[in-house]
């Protein structure tokens, strides 16, 4: 295959849990990635995480056979994304860092380049004011880990153009992801429901009605859920849960989204779930609860 036949890279902004997961997904489907973060140390850790996740995904048959893996480039200079076919922002769910990253990204790429936020709660149209060309902007809410969970929320904002929507649908098809198109609004579908459920489950533990294991056992045993709300919260990251709850509270005014004291205490104590080894459960070195 000649260089002209090689796929253009996508840019992933943010080398945290979701950024490395999306990178792993793209590389395993033959798409090169430019992964951007602020620190060389963070990027070095991210490279190791991507290698580990790629091995796991390959062992689980998550990637198509007969396709060469994409090449990973890491950088701290956002100007290096200039030739990207698409940009996927995956930084923390807070206004200031998202606004800064999206503004810089939209200045770095040519018009017509789709800019996607892996947002979990902030409305797409609110974020569209931070980019130079709102018609190129939309949201995709990937699940964790994205290389194993094959369905995403695709969020079209009021100003999202047809071309951007079509291009991102095509990218998701290449990534083996099924897109569920949903409307814009705080939390969209999944997190508008899920984050409130997690908050209430944590409040039940806080009140002593049941422990975390019992809450989750009721959901898996009685309702047939594959994972209970508190085990799911540990996978998401309790810090991300709390950030999303604040976003939902501020934008809806619904007190049911106010993070309960137990969640806030755990986050302040650094008990963020699987990524730190402690949350509602203790987690082993490979992320398994014990």
């Amino acid at each position: 295959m000649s260089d002209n036949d090689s796929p253009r890279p996508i840019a992933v902004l943010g080398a945290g849990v979701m950024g490395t997961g999306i990178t792993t997904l793209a590389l395993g489907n033959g798409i090169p990635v430019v992964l951007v973060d602020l620190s060389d140390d963070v990027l070095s850790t991210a490279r190791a995480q991507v290698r580990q996740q790629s091995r796991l995904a390959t062992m689980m048959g998550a990637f198509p056979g007969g396709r060469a893996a994409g090449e990973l480039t890491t950088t701290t200079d956002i100007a290096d994304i200039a030739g990207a076919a698409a940009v996927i922002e995956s930084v923390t769910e807070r206004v200031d860092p998202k606004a800064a990253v999206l503004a810089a990204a939209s200045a770095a790429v040519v018009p017509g380049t789709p800019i996607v936020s892996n947002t979990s709660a902030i409305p797409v149209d609110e974020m569209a004011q931070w980019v130079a060309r709102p018609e190129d902007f939309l949201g995709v809410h990937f699940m964790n880990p994205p290389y194993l969970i094959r369905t995403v929320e695709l969020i079209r904002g009021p100003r999202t153009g047809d071309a951007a929507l079509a291009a991102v649908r095509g990218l998701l098809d290449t990534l083996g992801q099924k897109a569920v198109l949903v409307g814009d609004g705080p939390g969209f579908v999944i997190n508008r429901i899920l984050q409130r459920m997690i908050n209430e489950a944590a409040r039940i533990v806080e009140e002593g009605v049941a422990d975390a294991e019992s809450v989750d056992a009721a959901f898996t045993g009685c309702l047939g859920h594959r994972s209970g709300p508190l085990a799911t919260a540990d996978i998401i990251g309790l810090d991300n849960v709390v950030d999303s709850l604040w976003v939902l509270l501020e934008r809806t005014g619904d007190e049911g989204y106010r993070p309960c004291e137990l969640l806030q205490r755990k986050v302040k104590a650094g008990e963020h779930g699987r990524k730190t080894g402690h949350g509602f459960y203790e987690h082993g070195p490979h992320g398994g609860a014990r």
Side-chain angles (χ1 to χ4, degrees):
M1 180 179 287
S2 70
D3 290 343
N4 289 337
D5 294 327
S6 300
R8 290 167 61 201
I10 65 168
V12 177
L13 312 181
V17 171
M18 289 307 301
T20 56
I22 294 165
T23 297
T24 300
L25 171 68
L27 296 176
N29 283 278
I31 300 175
V33 175
V34 179
L35 178 60
V36 185
D37 209 295
L38 297 175
S39 159
D40 287 323
D41 288 342
V42 169
L43 289 168
S44 178
T45 299
R47 277 187 169 275
Q49 291 172 337
V50 169
R51 286 194 296 269
Q52 179 182 359
Q53 292 176 46
S54 295
R55 286 194 295 269
L56 173 63
T58 300
M59 286 190 298
M60 298 185 73
F63 298 143
R67 187 180 296 177
E71 181 181 356
L72 174 60
T73 302
T74 57
T75 181
T76 58
D77 187 353
I78 202 163
D80 290 338
I81 74 171
V87 177
I88 301 176
E89 169 271 314
S90 189
V91 302
T92 187
E93 195 72 1
R94 296 178 184 172
V95 165
D96 289 346
K98 276 197 184 296
V101 165
L102 288 170
S106 66
V109 297
V110 299
T113 304
I115 299 178
V116 173
S117 176
N118 176 41
T119 176
S120 58
I122 301 174
V124 166
D125 203 46
E126 179 179 336
M127 290 186 288
Q129 65 185 310
W130 306 331
V131 300
R133 297 169 296 277
E135 66 275 14
D136 291 339
F137 184 70
L138 65 163
V140 175
H141 181 203
F142 289 89
M143 305 298 123
N144 185 29
Y147 47 85
L148 296 180
I149 301 178
R150 300 302 185 89
T151 302
V152 298
E153 288 181 291
L154 175 60
I155 307 109
R156 179 174 191 167
R159 290 179 277 179
T160 302
D162 291 341
L165 184 66
V168 172
R169 280 190 180 276
L171 174 61
L172 292 172
D173 285 344
T174 302
L175 294 174
Q177 298 283 304
K178 178 182 178 182
V180 177
L181 184 63
V182 302
D184 197 13
F188 320 112
V189 174
I190 293 294
N191 275 331
R192 184 169 171 181
I193 298 168
L194 176 63
Q195 300 297 352
R196 187 173 186 134
M197 182 172 68
I198 290 171
N199 200 32
E200 197 60 35
R203 188 175 286 115
I204 286 170
V205 174
E206 182 180 52
E207 293 172 356
V209 175
D211 60 17
E213 291 83 355
S214 298
V215 170
D216 284 348
F219 274 80
T220 58
C222 299
L223 300 179
H225 290 202
R226 293 177 63 184
S227 176
L230 299 176
T232 300
D234 271 10
I235 293 171
I236 295 169
L238 303 189
D239 54 336
N240 297 327
V241 169
V242 168
D243 285 344
S244 294
L245 284 166
W246 284 123
V247 168
L248 288 160
L249 175 64
E250 290 163 2
R251 285 154 182 80
T252 67
D254 188 333
E255 284 293 319
Y257 292 117
R258 183 175 296 278
C260 73
E261 289 298 324
L262 178 57
L263 281 172
Q264 294 190 60
R265 286 199 303 272
K266 283 186 172 294
V267 170
K268 288 177 183 176
E271 298 176 7
H272 295 175
R274 186 169 65 177
K275 61 187 173 183
T276 62
H278 306 278
F280 283 99
Y281 298 90
E282 299 295 311
H283 298 269
H286 300 294
R290 52 186 169 86

